[in-house]
Amino acid sequence: MKLYIRVGELKRGLLHDLSKYSWTEFSKWVKYYNEKHSPITECKKDKGYSEAWLHHKGRNKHHFEYWVDILAPNQTPIIPYKYVAEMLCDKMAAGIVYQGKNWTKEYQLSHWEEKRKNYSK
């Protein structure tokens, strides 16, 4: 919430990730819970995909994957500020939670760069 307040998006912080309480997502978060990274990663290792992730990114506009359509003429749409702000808060908060006292801005940047490289493969 501290990050959402800093970017002026308190409402987005309060409404953030409500879809995680749906059975499709919640049941997988419980089954694949891991303290070091997202349960999505564990599920993908196990099944090769994550139904919870497909459900989640399709309902939450703060994930850039919500906006991406590789077959669309405009593959890089303009994402409204409130969703970009929420996206950045979400990613930073996840890094802080998973890294704990080891979190640094440099870690966060390298994590994003690695994700970008993997996404473009």
Side-chain angles (χ1 to χ4, degrees):
M1 286 303 296
K2 289 178 188 175
L3 295 172
Y4 290 104
I5 291 168
R6 288 178 80 180
V7 297
E9 291 293 336
L10 178 60
K11 182 179 176 184
R12 300 283 349 131
L14 293 171
L15 299 175
H16 178 76
D17 278 352
L18 290 179
S19 71
K20 285 187 178 179
Y21 296 102
S22 69
W23 184 249
T24 301
E25 294 182 38
F26 183 76
S27 62
K28 301 302 185 274
W29 301 147
V30 171
K31 181 176 180 180
Y32 293 102
Y33 176 76
N34 181 303
E35 290 182 8
K36 297 293 181 192
H37 49 77
S38 169
I40 293 166
T41 304
E42 292 299 312
C43 185
K44 286 180 180 180
K45 286 179 189 175
D46 182 32
K47 297 172 68 176
Y49 73 99
S50 171
E51 182 183 359
W53 172 239
L54 295 172
H55 185 271
H56 187 73
K57 72 176 183 158
R59 285 157 181 80
N60 293 281
K61 295 178 182 182
H62 66 275
H63 289 286
F64 81 89
E65 295 90 346
Y66 175 93
W67 301 90
V68 174
D69 180 353
I70 60 170
L71 300 178
N74 180 7
Q75 294 180 9
T76 55
I78 295 174
I79 303 171
Y81 171 83
K82 64 183 178 181
Y83 301 122
V84 173
E86 185 176 359
M87 183 186 320
L88 294 173
C89 291
D90 186 34
K91 295 294 184 191
M92 285 184 63
I96 291 166
V97 167
Y98 293 134
Q99 291 299 305
K101 293 181 183 194
N102 296 323
W103 183 86
T104 63
K105 290 183 274 184
E106 291 74 24
Y107 161 80
Q108 197 71 51
L109 181 59
S110 67
H111 178 74
W112 286 351
E113 289 172 340
E114 189 64 32
K115 291 278 259 194
R116 184 185 55 78
K117 280 194 284 189
N118 290 336
Y119 188 76
S120 61
K121 287 182 182 179

